[in-house]
Amino acid sequence: MNIVVLGAGAWGTALAISAVRSADARQCVTLWARDAQQAAELQQHRENRRYLSGVAVPAAVQIATGSLHSASPWLDGADLVIVATPMAGLRHMLTLLSDQRAPVAWLCKGFEAPTTQATGLLGHEIRAQVAPSLRAGVLSGPSFALEVARGQPTALVAASDHAGVRDLLVAAFHSPTLRVYANDDIVGVEVGGAVKNVLAIATGLCDGLGLGMNARAALITRGLAEMTRLGLALGARAETFMGLSGLGDLVLTATGDLSRNRKVGQLLAQGMNLQQAVDSLGHVAEGVYSARTVAQRARTLGVDMPITDAVVALLDGVLQPAQAVALLMGRDPKDELV
């Protein structure tokens, strides 16, 4: 199988490395870097020093750069194309790939930033707009890029409306250290991947304020309820949120030390403003950009998401960290399952 990964950030690099460990030793993997200098450094040092320092990029991973077009020899012959850009770049990439014959899957998790013309969209909704004929899906689940690159055990979900796309993703990446499950509920998988980033900011805030593990467990559990309510309103299945892309990804992102979104909450609790917190990361924290869109879509659908609303108020500077926690804890009593 000929696999092309577009984007040489942490996740794109990690997945390219992982793909050459697949059970199919005949796979050809190409990692495309937008920046020619980065591509040259990857080729020379066989290491992504900016995003995955200390992890070797095997010689079996071919490095490419240059403009993207269907006539590119390494893209024209692809059996599977993986888009490994942040959410902000997905629309542009899918537009470029709209005539691609091979299936396309993306790795980014979140909502597109809203515009004056449109509400922020999930990845599958963007694909429906700009590349309706494209066979496509998403690879999601609880996974830090560094651990995948190191070959530490990980489980992911391949979600698509097309059974052939799901099967291809499983075949491409399933390996002794990476287990890939198929799921046809792409709405639920994408909602889980987007909302967990916002909720991780809240749990990072909780941890940064030293509120304890009881408070963290409460936030994760009630956050899962919020995620599920929004997903059901958008047409997802409830059971998806009890799986890898729902509960699994939420627990990892809300508690893991490698979580950028959790780190944002911790830094805000320590007194940094939002810009300082984001600048200190060096990577994108999608929850910062998705929180307002999650809240907006929830309001449009009449879905109650108090934790998300508190995160938005925190990010907008309307509430201070302690005030955000007080607002959540001071809510009126209600039945748990409502």
Side-chain angles (χ1 to χ4, degrees), residues 13-14 17 21 42 45-49 51-58 145-151:
T13 305
I17 293 170
R21 301 193 190 107
L42 279 166
H45 302 292
R46 306 306 300 184
E47 178 185 347
N48 191 331
R49 293 183 170 182
Y51 295 108
L52 285 176
S53 178
V55 179
V57 177
L146 180 61
E147 293 189 1
V148 171
R150 288 173 172 169

Side-chain angles (χ1 to χ4, degrees), residues 153-176:
T154 302
L156 297 177
V157 177
S160 175
D161 295 330
H162 303 275
V165 175
R166 299 193 297 270
D167 293 344
L168 191 63
L169 286 167
V170 172
F173 298 108
H174 198 88
S175 75

